[in-house]
Amino acid sequence: MDEKAVYILKRLYEQDFVSGENLARELDVSRMAINKRIKSLQEMGFSITGCRKRGYQLVDKDIIRIWEIENFVSKSNLFEDFLFFDQINSTNSYIKENQEKLKSATVVYAERQTAGRGRLGRSWIDLEKGIKMSIFLSIDFIDIEKLVPLTLFTGLVVNRVLRTFKVNSFIKWSNDILINGKKVCGILTELLGELDGRGNVIIGIGLNVNATNLPEDILEIATTLKKEMGVSFDRTDIIIGILKEFEKEFENFKTRGFLPFRDEYKSYCANLEREIIINGEQKAFCKDIGQNGELICEQNGKELKIHSGEVTVRW
Ligand code: BTN
């Protein structure tokens, strides 16, 4: 979205009615040009109405305040760029397809995904008023072994931020966030290119925030912040919260790995001291989280370490 469109959105967000004349004057463009821009914002899904006497109004203010995120990113020591899309196939796929063009530490956000991807080849259902974003990093420490801890680290960051919003969330290994036993957030980390040395990584975060209607087939297993807490959440504040916390801790993670975060992770981990099912069949008892984030279980009297794959918790 270009600067002028973001400016119009900001004005409409901050003031109840804004006249086309004022917008035209402030942006130094014609009244017709404003008309066109309002139309294209409406086509992008922003609910803007026009009233002859009073001007334009943004009826639904549950939008992403792009200008605030851009402002945060412009001052950030880690993040370099923020790209907002009203609709895209998948933020992870977009990064994959455009990695040569993107600066390292770019955040890609989409209001709607037409082909959102989940872990283990699944799809990620596109709920309205959620957060679907991916962080693109080009880093020099990454090898396949570090991917699990990086994913765990991101889950911990999201969990920490949700807790600042008074949400009683937990982490299901490796990185699902649960509220009352139902999934509210999933993370898909993908490694591109080099396996050792420098590598490009995508960390995709899907968080269900303000939707109230969920498709029947996921009702039992998934939820949203609004459904569990009974109130709407400010999605922009959550996004900035996640990026801030990620930035604050990332250096520590890069130099010291998962270890400094292990105790906190364990204290919110929903799997510990429970029986779990691995890849739909093997049962095991989950005892600990290892130094690199692996799940340490006991099965038939033997210790078993799980580094990846699907784990189901028995409640
Ligand atoms: C999971 O299966 O739990 C991971 C879900 C990850 C979904 C997010 S939404 C933003 C990013 N883009 C995608 O296509 N997937 C991730």
Side-chain angles (χ1 to χ4, degrees), residues 90-92 113 116-119 124 133-134 183 186-187 205-206:
S90 137
T91 52
N92 273 36
Q113 292 189 131
R117 293 190 289 110
R119 290 176 60 233
W124 181 252
M133 70 174 179
S134 302
K183 179 161 167 173
I187 298 167
I205 302 169

Side-chain angles (χ1 to χ4, degrees), residues 160-177:
R160 212 186 254 186
V161 172
L162 291 181
R163 286 194 162 257
T164 67
F165 284 86
K166 308 257 180 305
V167 176
N168 199 22
S169 54
F170 292 90
I171 311 167
K172 192 197 92 174
W173 191 92
S174 55
N175 52 22
D176 290 349
I177 309 283

